[in-house]
């Protein structure tokens, strides 16, 4: 096999092959616990929330920006929904009102970034701090759990047969975002902006408008994730979304290696989240210490990047 062929294989299938290899290794080591239908269904439930918040960051990265407020937005969404549920508001209001608020916050993020050309890193970092203050004001810094009705936990815990509703929602959102990015004018404009903002302007694309839309949709997905986290555990922690922030970007970045163009995409994000989720699941089954899980997971991310660079022919 010549070097050119190897590069093409790495570029087209490297990340998927890595995922298959990880599954194969854990299946060989612990077939009785890892390689079971029950565990695979459990993995889909475990990664569902990561996939959903990562789909939002996929949109922002597709326009070559970052939203560092997704963790705080997820936490705020959960707290707002839980507080409304405690006050006896209809479940539809409990879940729709925070989503509407998050949409406005996302619009504000995008407007500031696009209108004033402020670095998205700085803008959303500042917004994350603001949201943390709002969360503390609403909750008093305490976890919201007393008085939450059982109906609030339905979206996060219900099953259709043996399949968790969260897993079904994950598949639905991946399909929607795949269609949006690959088969709509909106998605093509996102990619055009991410490829070259100046070229997109020359082509007549309203860059400010579409960047703002990307931030708004990202914020909504973070909020939806936070509400589902709260629904799943039956309480709203003030920092529940923080653990998803870095992982969401890791999933998107790994997912970029699935695309031959090396761009954020919905299917790639799903594969990236699956790699992270399967690693966590398998290493937990092997009773691996948490610090070793971090080391191995970080190593996999680095290898994925190297594989993509090698596939592009960028390696020396």
């Amino acid at each position: 096999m010549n070097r050119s062929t190897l590069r093409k294989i790495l570029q087209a299938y490297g990340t998927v092959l890595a995922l298959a290899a990880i599954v194969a290794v854990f299946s060989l080591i612990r077939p009785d616990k890892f390689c079971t239908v029950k565990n695979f269904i459990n993995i889909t439930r475990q990664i569902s929330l990561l996939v959903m918040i990562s789909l939002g960051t996929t949109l922002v990265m597709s326009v070559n920006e970052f939203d560092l407020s997704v963790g705080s937005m997820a936490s705020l969404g959960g707290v707002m929904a839980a507080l409304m549920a405690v006050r006896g508001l209809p479940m539809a209001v409990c879940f729709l009102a925070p989503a509407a608020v998050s949409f406005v916050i996302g619009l504000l993020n995008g407007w500031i970034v696009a209108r004033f050309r402020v670095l998205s890193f700085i803008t959303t970092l500042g917004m994350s701090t603001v949201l943390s203050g709002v969360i503390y004001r609403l909750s008093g810094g305490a976890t919201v759990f007393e008085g939450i009705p059982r109906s609030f936990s339905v979206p996060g815990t219900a099953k259709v047969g043996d399949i968790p509703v969260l897993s079904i929602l994950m598949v639905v959102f991946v399909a929607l975002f795949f269609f949006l990015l690959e088969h709509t004018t909106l998605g093509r404009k996102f990619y055009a902006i991410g490829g070259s903002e100046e070229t997109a302007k020359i082509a007549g694309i309203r860059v400010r408008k579409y960047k703002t839309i990307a931030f708004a949709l990202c914020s909504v997905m973070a909020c939806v994730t936070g509400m589902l986290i709260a629904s799943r555990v039956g309480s709203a922690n003030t920092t529940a979304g923080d653990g998803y922030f870095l992982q969401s970007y890791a999933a998107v970045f790994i997912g970029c290696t699935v695309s031959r163009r090396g761009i954020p995409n919905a299917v790639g994000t799903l594969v990236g989240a699956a790699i992270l989720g399967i690693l966590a699941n398998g290493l937990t089954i092997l009773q691996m210490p948490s610090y070793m899980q971090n080391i191995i997971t970080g190593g996999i991310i680095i290898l994925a990047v190297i594989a993509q660079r090698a596939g592009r022919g960028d390696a020396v």
Side-chain angles (χ1 to χ4, degrees), residues 283 288-298:
L283 293 174
M288 193 75 68
S290 60
Y291 72 88
M292 281 302 299
Q293 293 187 31
N294 292 336
I295 292 171
I296 294 172
T297 301

Side-chain angles (χ1 to χ4, degrees), residues 26 30 33-34 39 42-43 46 276-290 292-294 296-297:
F26 285 132
R30 294 302 299 270
K33 290 188 176 181
F34 179 82
N39 187 51
N42 183 48
I43 290 173
Q46 290 174 341
L276 296 175
I278 290 171
L279 274 174
N281 179 270
L283 293 174
T284 299
I285 288 175
L286 296 179
Q287 298 182 335
M288 193 75 68
S290 60
M292 281 302 299
Q293 293 187 31
N294 292 336
I296 294 172
T297 301

Side-chain angles (χ1 to χ4, degrees), residues 120-131:
S120 57
F121 179 91
I122 301 299
T123 301
T124 55
L125 180 62
M127 181 60 73
S128 177
T129 305
V130 170
L131 296 181

Side-chain angles (χ1 to χ4, degrees), residues 209-284:
K209 173 184 175 181
Y210 291 103
K211 276 195 175 185
T212 303
I213 291 173
F215 275 97
L217 293 177
C218 175
S219 187
V220 170
M221 288 306 297
C223 179
V224 168
T225 303
M227 291 188 291
L228 290 173
I229 293 171
S231 175
R232 178 181 170 184
V233 300
S235 63
N237 191 291
T238 56
T239 58
D242 292 356
Y244 289 85
F245 163 57
L246 290 177
Q247 281 204 329
S248 68
Y249 280 98
V252 178
F253 196 72
I254 293 173
C256 289
T257 66
V258 174
S259 167
R260 292 188 178 186
R261 295 174 291 169
I263 59 177
N265 61 98
V267 174
T269 295
L270 174 62
V271 173
I275 288 176
L276 296 175
I278 290 171
L279 274 174
N281 179 270
L283 293 174
T284 299

Side-chain angles (χ1 to χ4, degrees), residues 9-310:
I9 292 174
L10 286 173
Q11 185 178 17
Y13 307 110
T15 306
V16 176
L17 289 173
L19 175 60
I22 293 169
V23 172
V25 168
F26 285 132
S27 297
L28 289 172
I29 296 175
R30 294 302 299 270
D32 56 326
K33 290 188 176 181
F34 179 82
C35 193
T36 65
V37 173
K38 182 179 179 180
N39 187 51
F40 286 141
I41 291 175
N42 183 48
I43 290 173
T44 65
R45 180 182 59 81
Q46 290 174 341
I47 70 171
S48 60
L49 297 168
L50 175 58
V51 170
M52 282 183 250
I53 195 171
S54 299
L55 287 171
T57 57
T58 299
L59 291 186
V60 171
M61 287 186 67
S62 72
V63 296
N64 202 28
E65 300 288 356
F66 292 90
D67 187 346
L68 304 190
S69 67
V70 290
S72 295
M73 188 66 252
S75 299
L76 177 61
V79 168
M80 288 178 63
L83 288 174
M84 289 181 180
V86 169
R87 293 179 181 179
L89 294 175
M91 285 300 113
V93 175
C94 294
F95 287 101
L96 291 176
V101 172
S102 69
F103 184 77
V104 174
I105 293 171
L107 286 177
L108 179 59
N109 277 336
W111 180 74
I112 293 172
V113 171
R115 174 66 178 80
F116 299 102
R117 302 183 67 84
V118 181
L119 290 175
S120 57
F121 179 91
I122 301 299
T123 301
T124 55
L125 180 62
M127 181 60 73
S128 177
T129 305
V130 170
L131 296 181
S132 296
V134 173
I135 292 169
Y136 188 87
R137 175 66 182 83
L138 291 174
S139 66
T143 299
V144 181
F145 64 92
E146 291 186 2
I148 294 180
R150 288 188 177 183
S151 56
F152 181 77
S153 298
V154 171
T157 59
K159 292 184 177 182
V160 177
D162 293 328
I163 309 299
V165 168
L166 287 177
S167 301
I168 296 172
L169 288 174
M170 174 186 71
V171 173
V172 170
F173 276 117
V174 169
L176 286 174
F177 276 72
F178 172 79
F179 180 79
L180 184 152
L181 287 171
E182 304 295 336
H183 299 287
T184 68
T185 302
L186 180 61
R188 287 190 288 271
K189 288 180 178 179
F190 283 163
Y191 282 140
I193 294 169
S196 173
E197 188 172 321
E198 293 305 317
T199 302
K201 287 180 179 178
I202 294 172
I205 296 174
R206 298 171 62 184
V207 173
R208 291 181 184 176
K209 173 184 175 181
Y210 291 103
K211 276 195 175 185
T212 303
I213 291 173
F215 275 97
L217 293 177
C218 175
S219 187
V220 170
M221 288 306 297
C223 179
V224 168
T225 303
M227 291 188 291
L228 290 173
I229 293 171
S231 175
R232 178 181 170 184
V233 300
S235 63
N237 191 291
T238 56
T239 58
D242 292 356
Y244 289 85
F245 163 57
L246 290 177
Q247 281 204 329
S248 68
Y249 280 98
V252 178
F253 196 72
I254 293 173
C256 289
T257 66
V258 174
S259 167
R260 292 188 178 186
R261 295 174 291 169
I263 59 177
N265 61 98
V267 174
T269 295
L270 174 62
V271 173
I275 288 176
L276 296 175
I278 290 171
L279 274 174
N281 179 270
L283 293 174
T284 299
I285 288 175
L286 296 179
Q287 298 182 335
M288 193 75 68
S290 60
Y291 72 88
M292 281 302 299
Q293 293 187 31
N294 292 336
I295 292 171
I296 294 172
T297 301
I300 291 293
I301 294 171
I302 294 171
L303 288 175
V305 175
I306 293 173
Q308 177 66 5
R309 298 286 287 185

